[in-house]
Amino acid sequence: NQSELHTFAAFLIDSTSPSLGLTTPIANLVNYATPSFVFISTEPGTIVYEGACSSTKTSAVAGENEITLNSLSDGQYTDCKLKVKDAAGNTDSLALGNFTIDTVAPGATITSQILSLTRDITPSFVIDVSEASVVAYSGSCSSSTTQVQSGSNEITLNTLSDSTYSDCSIQLSDAAGNQSTPYALDSFEIDSTPPNLNLTTAVASLVNDATPSFVFSSSEPGTIVYEGACSSAKTSAVAGENEITLNNLNDGTYPDCELKVTDVAGNVGVLTLGSF
């Protein structure tokens, strides 16, 4: 019998796995739930995801591939990887690296507001924050404090002029870039100016009255305190002219009498009565 010659159809042997490389990884800290990355593959294939990550994209091309992950919860991810399987069934793995997702903005409570009326031109307030943050100021207020730590923080404002401030607020940004809503400071007034006092009618240099009187003007109302040898039953001043009758004095020379007027903010004006 004459032998028969059998031919086989052409076939291809491919025992080489796709070579994968991460060209644009996910940042170490991101503030969105669906981060993206770019990887390169030497050949096309089917993508399989492993670990906590997944994506709707299940095929790779030869070259660059951009992948957007399905939504992830806040947290740290250390086990995410993908595999690309070529047509011959060869597989290569690619680890996506470690990354953290943080989509929650810093929370804060202003636990101590600035007094509604203060004579402090660099007033302070206290804020309690949920995480370390960068601080941005808006309105008329600013501060050299640009970062706060988790917990209680006292912030001192930069120098302010005498005025009422009702537009001051702060906003926090965490390391991931999440921004809080603005936190408004309560309205406050700064009054750092002492009452302006003038002696308009002084006690005469020599008098035969044991309860002499004098008149002084004040630029604002306040509480009167007497110092030296003199005193009076009158303990409050009005804005404008004030007549004061001193309490009974013995015969003698009085060179040290003065009064102080303290306004509502605590500023003090001093007036010397002169020798009599």
Side-chain angles (χ1 to χ4, degrees), residues 59-94:
S59 61
V61 298
E64 287 198 333
N65 298 266
E66 182 173 4
I67 305 293
T68 299
L69 295 179
N70 292 331
S71 186
L72 295 167
S73 301
D74 281 14
Q76 186 176 21
Y77 294 85
T78 60
D79 64 346
C80 292
K81 63 182 181 180
L82 61 78
K83 292 182 178 179
V84 174
K85 181 187 292 186
D86 66 15
N90 302 297
T91 303
D92 190 23
S93 275
L94 179 66

Side-chain angles (χ1 to χ4, degrees), residues 113-272:
Q113 290 274 1
I114 296 169
L115 294 174
S116 59
L117 176 62
T118 178
R119 61 191 178 95
D120 187 353
I121 59 174
T122 56
S124 299
F125 63 95
V126 178
I127 186 168
D128 192 85
V129 299
S130 61
E131 59 180 312
S133 303
V134 173
V135 186
Y137 301 86
S138 60
S140 304
C141 300
S142 63
S143 174
S144 59
T145 300
T146 56
Q147 292 184 322
V148 291
Q149 301 304 312
S150 174
S152 183
N153 298 264
E154 183 174 5
I155 295 178
T156 299
L157 297 180
N158 292 331
T159 302
L160 294 167
S161 303
D162 283 13
S163 187
T164 298
Y165 296 88
S166 58
D167 64 347
C168 296
S169 65
I170 65 169
Q171 190 169 28
L172 307 176
S173 301
D174 65 16
N178 299 298
Q179 283 192 330
S180 73
T181 57
Y183 292 94
L185 301 183
D186 288 349
S187 178
F188 61 93
E189 179 184 355
I190 292 179
D191 174 8
S192 64
T193 304
N196 182 27
L197 309 180
N198 289 290
L199 192 60
T200 56
T201 304
V203 178
S205 60
L206 178 63
V207 294
N208 63 356
D209 183 356
T211 57
S213 297
F214 63 94
V215 178
F216 77 96
S217 65
S218 177
S219 60
E220 55 183 314
T223 301
I224 304 174
V225 174
Y226 299 88
E227 295 190 351
C230 298
S231 63
S232 175
K234 190 163 187 177
T235 56
S236 61
V238 298
E241 289 203 335
N242 298 266
E243 183 174 2
I244 306 292
T245 299
L246 296 177
N247 291 332
N248 193 74
L249 294 168
N250 296 322
D251 284 7
T253 300
Y254 294 85
D256 64 346
C257 293
E258 66 179 20
L259 62 78
K260 294 180 178 179
V261 174
T262 304
D263 67 15
V264 179
N267 302 295
V268 179
V270 179
L271 178 67
T272 300

